[in-house]
Amino acid sequence: CKILKCNSEFWSTTSNSHHHTGAEDSVEFCTALRTYAHCTRRTARYCRGDLAYHSAVHGIDDLMSQHNCSKDGPTSQPRVRTPPPWDSQERSDSPEICHYEKNFHRHSATPNYTHCGLFGD
Amino acid sequence: PHLRTFTDTFQTCKIQGAWPLIDNNYLNVQVTNTPVHPGSTATATSKITIIFKNFQECVDQKVYQAEMDELPAAFVDGSKNGGDKSGANSLKIIEKVSGQHIEIQAKYIGTTIVVRQVGRYLTFAVRMPEEVVNAVEDKENQGLYLCLQGCPQNQQIDFRTFHSQTPETGSRRHGTGSNGSSFTPQMAGAKCKEKLPVEDLYFQSCVFDLLTTGDVNFTLAAYYAFEDVKVLHSNKDKLHLYERTTFGSGTAAPQS
């Protein structure tokens, strides 16, 4: 579960902005919140039952409501990050969530695979 | 068609018309089966539709469709990957043999799908993690889908009934055309043994298909189905199956 990464990215983004008083700041804050929400959704599969995760999800809803943020709207551009060694053969912008096996391996043992086939008459 | 389910049960089914093979949070696969001869209860797959559902920042919803004599190496929108999202390349179509064999790799769900056209008809094979197989919103009300539950009892064909008949009555019973009576069981067995030396259920399916249709392309269909199992199945000790799944009333089917 990588909810702390989402938390730190959100706080890092918002701590650089001003005090959220003007309309422009509000737009920026909503954008940061949507990005935060997006990040939590990515972690949902592995964070189920994690207190920090559920707190974050509720906190985001509250903040969105307080700031009248729309759930649909622009999000922040993803940050450029140094890809870990196992990503060296993949597109650098391909999110980790899009690699089932790499994701799975970090959280559990080797996945069990099943097979199904249909052929003939 | 012959169905090998996620739990390695093996059935021969009628399933004429459209039937779901897979239906979960990520993927929906539907096949359409048509009679191999007019009026025949023996059917084969003439159309396959695969819907990859929209998934986070990986893929947009993508639809793949193959029909008889049309096995494209692209989704219906003409694209070959998951769209415009940052993880779009975690879904891609690879053309193995033009018009005959494609592979779809869905890395974001750890899934590989193989679709072939052998003769006039289509074959389907998939390798999928159990976690994905079981990813359904409402498991209690999960509808029928063949890869998980197998064919309904009233759709299963009893091999024993077929094999107990002479080739001539067999072909009349199954309503096949003149080709249907061109093979005796001995001839069909010999033909199938050329491609499938082990007398497992793939071999038996091959014999069944030759006797019901007289179409030698079904020999290749069984052969490639087994080739796909060899590549996609995770347990190499379970490639060959010998025991047919028990029958409708609960009576055991004959062993090979």
Side-chain angles (χ1 to χ4, degrees), chain B residues 144-211:
Chain B
L144 167 87
Y145 73 85
L146 304 183
C147 275
L148 193 64
Q149 290 108 329
C151 298
Q153 292 174 358
N154 65 0
Q155 293 294 318
Q156 294 178 36
I157 292 173
D158 190 342
F159 253 41
R160 292 168 302 178
T161 310
F162 179 79
H163 284 303
S164 66
Q165 297 171 70
T166 62
E168 288 74 22
T169 55
S171 68
R172 273 202 299 271
R173 173 186 162 76
H174 290 272
T176 56
S178 57
N179 278 346
S181 60
S182 63
F183 278 93
T184 64
Q186 290 72 26
M187 288 162 63
K191 185 71 188 166
C192 291
K193 201 131 200 178
E194 291 173 11
K195 283 285 184 187
L196 297 158
V198 178
E199 291 192 18
D200 60 1
L201 290 177
Y202 290 89
F203 169 84
Q204 285 190 34
S205 300
C206 171
V207 172
F208 178 91
D209 289 357
L210 284 188
L211 293 176

Side-chain angles (χ1 to χ4, degrees), chain B residues 66-78:
Chain B
E67 293 188 68
M68 289 163 82
D69 300 322
E70 192 182 344
L71 188 83
F75 295 108
V76 293
D77 64 3

Side-chain angles (χ1 to χ4, degrees), chain B residues 207-221:
Chain B
V207 172
F208 178 91
D209 289 357
L210 284 188
L211 293 176
T212 49
T213 67
D215 182 351
V216 291
N217 284 311
F218 284 116
T219 312
L220 283 176

Side-chain angles (χ1 to χ4, degrees), chain A residues 9 63 117:
Chain A
E9 281 179 358
L63 285 170

